[in-house]
């Protein structure tokens, strides 16, 4: 009688396995993530024996020669900014984003530009060769020099890489690839982990710059095991509203450059175009004579951005006031409302409060606290803030205004865009205010001082 295949339960978040089903994963602690699958037998010839052949020698760190890593520009300036200057030989990049956000469009444009000087290969696992050709025709990109492979089998892809030896490879997407060495279906935790490991190993051995496209879950995280993000060198997230013409790429992890860099693109009829001055776009419809509006100078990596913060404070018509934020942290709003009540004497317990960061930008830094409070105060009193004014600063629970990083760069960006006034933490006051001749800077150390500045500054 044939022996029944052994079944295991594998976590869709961390990839851990357990012989019995449990409501909570014993490895990562997530609930309802264990899925039943067949246990794959380990082949006799281990897949990683090749690593044991080349044993690294122990050496002193002082004896290691550190050289600058050469960069290969992609031809897309905003993408190069996020990557830290361009692609690095042997680097593996993971690009995630919502369906239809423009990942395949961006990579097809990029690889067509790089084909003019380097040998490239586009591996499509989701679309046929004809569909990719139609997209290239719509985008009016130059297809000369772009090698295309429509394949999802990992063994066939590895053979093609060894035969053509490309410099740059795009895998679209990693969730559609499968290896014959794993019995589970494409997109499963084991398949994604194994395929990514094999591609990463080949990229390091052959010096290939490889870009992997990753799907995201409904929570916005890249689908598959978390080890996928640890395995690659750079993790990029493609963000933006599908109803808007603007897209943003954010670097979450980068071993060859600074993290948290931001690149802004505009979606046009001929694909994505880089935006060199995104602050002007985010403030295109800004009006300083409207209550509830305040301009924030936020910092995204090395780039200062001016973003309009809108607030609407209105009488609550139910038993529980509503608190809603778009692009800002929900929990921080509750804290700022409590600080506003205790240290400024303005109670909003019977008010609905709505906040919005215009332009689809997601702001996570605490430097937005001061601008958020001033916008809520302006809406609550139904009086606009002084014209041509910006603000930034972190608010503490005792009502103090704390300094933020790169205050001088924020002030220079505000002055460049024509703003006349700025409310900043006192510790961020420039030593020589004459460096900003067109900007009147008010340094405040508490929330009450900021409120007094707005009250006594002529509109």
């Amino acid at each position: 009688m044939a022996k029944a295949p052994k079944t295991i339960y594998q976590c869709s978040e961390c990839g851990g396995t357990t012989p019995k089903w449990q409501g909570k994963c014993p490895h990562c602690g997530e609930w309802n993530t264990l899925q039943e699958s067949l246990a794959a037998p380990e082949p006799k010839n281990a897949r990683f024996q090749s690593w044991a052949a080349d044993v690294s020698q122990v050496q002193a760190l002082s004896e290691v020669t550190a050289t600058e890593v050469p960069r290969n520009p992609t031809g897309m300036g905003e993408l190069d900014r996020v990557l830290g200057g361009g692609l690095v030989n042997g680097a593996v990049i993971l690009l995630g984003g919502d369906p239809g956000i423009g990942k395949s469009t961006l990579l097809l444009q990029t690889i067509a530009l790089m084909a003019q000087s380097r040998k490239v290969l586009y591996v499509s696992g989701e679309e046929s060769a004809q569909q990719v050709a139609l997209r290239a025709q719509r985008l009016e990109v130059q297809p000369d020099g772009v090698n295309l492979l429509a394949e999802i089998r990992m063994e066939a892809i590895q053979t093609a890489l060894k035969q053509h030896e490309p410099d740059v490879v795009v895998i679209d997407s990693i969730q559609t690839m499968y290896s014959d060495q794993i019995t589970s279906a494409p997109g499963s935790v084991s398949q994604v982990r194994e395929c990514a490991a094999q591609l990463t190993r080949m990229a390091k051995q052959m010096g290939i710059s490889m870009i992997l496209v990753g799907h995201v879950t409904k929570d916005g995280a890249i689908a598959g095991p978390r080890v996928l993000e640890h395995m690659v060198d750079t993790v990029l997230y493609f963000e933006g509203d599908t109803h808007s013409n603007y897209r943003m790429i954010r670097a979450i992890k980068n071993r060859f450059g600074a993290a948290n860099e931001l690149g802004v693109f505009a979606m046009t009829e001929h694909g994505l175009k880089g935006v060199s001055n995104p602050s002007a776009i985010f403030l295109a419809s800004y009006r300083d004579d409207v209550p509830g509006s305040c301009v924030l100078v936020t910092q995204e990596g090395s780039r200062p951005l001016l973003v309009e913060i809108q607030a609407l404070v209105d009488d609550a018509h139910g038993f529980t006031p509503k608190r809603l934020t778009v692009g800002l942290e929900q929990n921080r709003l509750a804290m700022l409302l409590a600080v506003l009540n205790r240290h400024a004497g303005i109670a909003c317990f019977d008010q609905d409060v709505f906040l919005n960061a215009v332009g689809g930008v997601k702001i996570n830094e605490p430097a937005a606290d001061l601008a958020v409070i001033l916008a809520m105060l302006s809406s609550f009193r139904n009086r606009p803030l002084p014209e041509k004014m910006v603000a930034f600063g972190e608010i503490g629970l005792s009502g103090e205004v704390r300094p933020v990083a790169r205050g001088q760069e924020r002030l220079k960006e505000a002055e460049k865009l024509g703003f006349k006034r700025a409310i900043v933490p006192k510790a961020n006051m420039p030593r020589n205010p004459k460096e900003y001749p067109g900007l009147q800077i008010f340094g405040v150390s508490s929330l009450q001082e900021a409120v007094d500045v707005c009250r006594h500054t002529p509109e």
Side-chain angles (χ1 to χ4, degrees):
M1 183 176 179
K3 186 176 181 181
K6 182 179 178 181
T7 61
I8 59 173
Y9 292 88
Q10 195 167 34
C11 177
S12 60
E13 291 292 330
C14 67
T17 60
T18 179
K20 295 182 179 181
W21 185 87
Q22 303 178 45
K24 181 179 181 181
C25 175
H27 303 281
C28 64
E30 293 291 333
W31 288 89
N32 300 323
T33 57
L34 294 178
Q35 300 176 358
E36 185 178 5
S37 62
L38 296 178
E42 185 68 23
K44 295 181 180 179
N45 51 342
R47 300 189 297 272
F48 305 104
Q49 283 183 354
S50 59
W51 286 8
D54 301 327
V55 180
S56 301
Q57 301 295 326
V58 177
Q59 53 184 332
L61 180 60
S62 58
E63 299 176 357
V64 179
T65 303
T67 58
E68 186 67 23
V69 180
R71 304 281 180 170
N72 302 304
T74 62
M76 305 283 285
E78 290 298 302
L79 182 59
D80 288 338
R81 169 191 286 272
V82 177
L83 293 174
L87 295 175
V88 177
N89 294 335
V92 182
I93 301 161
L94 179 62
L95 175 63
D98 294 330
I101 202 69
K103 301 184 295 297
S104 300
T105 299
L106 174 66
L107 294 180
L108 184 57
Q109 290 181 257
T110 301
I111 208 167
L113 292 173
M114 298 196 72
Q116 301 175 8
S117 59
R118 309 196 73 196
K119 194 174 181 180
V120 301
L121 175 63
Y122 189 96
V123 181
S124 176
E126 298 181 350
E127 297 176 314
S128 64
Q130 290 77 14
Q131 289 175 313
V132 178
L134 285 173
R135 175 183 283 116
Q137 186 177 358
R138 290 196 306 268
L139 299 176
E140 297 183 358
V141 300
Q142 189 66 29
D144 297 340
V146 178
N147 297 316
L148 179 63
L149 174 64
E151 184 59 70
I152 62 174
R153 292 189 306 113
M154 185 54 54
E155 287 71 22
I157 296 173
Q158 290 176 326
T159 302
L161 293 180
K162 293 177 182 179
Q163 289 178 352
H164 295 274
E165 296 182 353
D167 299 319
V168 182
V169 175
V170 171
I171 306 294
D172 188 8
S173 64
I174 188 61
Q175 276 83 11
T176 60
M177 305 297 157
Y178 79 93
S179 174
D180 293 336
Q181 298 175 349
I182 304 295
T183 59
S184 57
S188 63
V189 173
S190 55
Q191 283 285 6
V192 171
R193 181 176 60 236
E194 177 62 24
C195 293
Q198 294 186 26
L199 290 171
T200 302
R201 187 161 60 250
M202 289 199 69
K204 301 297 182 184
Q205 292 174 352
M206 301 176 63
I208 300 174
S209 300
M210 187 172 293
I211 304 177
L212 309 178
V213 178
H215 296 167
V216 297
T217 62
K218 61 181 180 180
D219 298 327
I222 295 179
R226 195 69 175 181
V227 71
L228 180 62
E229 298 186 24
H230 295 282
M231 197 181 303
V232 300
D233 299 306
T234 305
V235 179
L236 306 179
Y237 275 88
F238 212 180
E239 304 172 351
D241 189 357
T242 55
H243 303 288
S244 173
N245 292 331
Y246 300 104
R247 307 285 189 269
M248 283 155 282
I249 292 185
R250 191 185 304 272
I252 305 300
K253 168 190 175 182
N254 193 353
R255 290 175 179 163
F256 300 104
N260 295 324
E261 286 286 353
L262 184 72
V264 183
F265 295 87
M267 180 66 78
T268 65
E269 295 180 356
H270 304 300
L272 292 162
K273 306 293 182 182
V275 178
S276 58
N277 188 10
S279 296
I281 293 176
F282 294 147
L283 299 178
S285 58
Y286 166 68
R287 293 176 53 189
D288 53 13
D289 58 344
V290 177
S293 178
C294 183
V295 176
L296 160 71
V297 190
T298 184
Q299 191 78 21
E300 294 290 348
S302 60
R303 164 185 278 177
L305 290 178
L306 271 71
V307 181
E308 180 186 0
I309 303 297
Q310 292 182 340
L312 177 61
V313 181
D314 194 15
D315 293 335
H317 299 287
F319 294 101
T320 304
K322 296 179 181 179
R323 305 284 188 260
L324 180 63
T325 62
V326 178
L328 297 160
E329 293 187 18
Q330 183 88 18
N331 294 333
R332 202 155 186 90
L333 171 60
M335 185 196 76
L336 293 177
L337 289 174
V339 173
L340 190 63
N341 181 24
R342 173 61 66 89
H343 300 286
I346 299 175
C348 297
F349 59 88
D350 57 348
Q351 304 285 317
D352 292 333
V353 180
F354 305 94
L355 288 178
N356 178 35
V358 179
V361 186
K362 294 182 180 179
I363 301 174
N364 298 319
E365 66 166 350
D369 292 350
L370 184 57
V372 168
I373 279 190
L374 293 180
M376 292 190 299
L377 182 63
S378 172
S379 178
F380 180 78
R381 292 178 172 173
N382 199 25
R383 290 182 56 189
L385 295 174
E387 64 176 0
K388 298 293 182 181
M389 190 188 76
V390 298
F392 60 86
E394 180 183 356
I395 304 294
L397 291 179
S398 58
E400 78 277 11
V401 180
R402 297 178 178 177
V404 299
R406 300 190 177 185
Q408 310 303 316
E409 298 180 13
R410 299 174 194 247
L411 292 174
K412 290 179 181 178
E413 183 72 11
E415 185 185 27
K416 185 175 71 174
L417 291 178
F419 284 85
K420 304 298 183 183
R421 302 178 178 89
I423 300 180
V424 303
K426 184 167 289 186
N428 285 122
M429 284 288 293
R431 296 181 179 179
N432 185 12
K434 295 181 180 180
E435 297 179 359
Y436 311 91
L439 194 63
Q440 186 180 9
I441 306 174
F442 300 93
V444 296
S445 58
S446 65
L447 175 60
Q448 188 60 50
E449 290 183 22
V451 172
D452 293 339
V453 168
C454 294
R455 182 180 301 162
H456 298 105
T457 301
E459 300 180 2

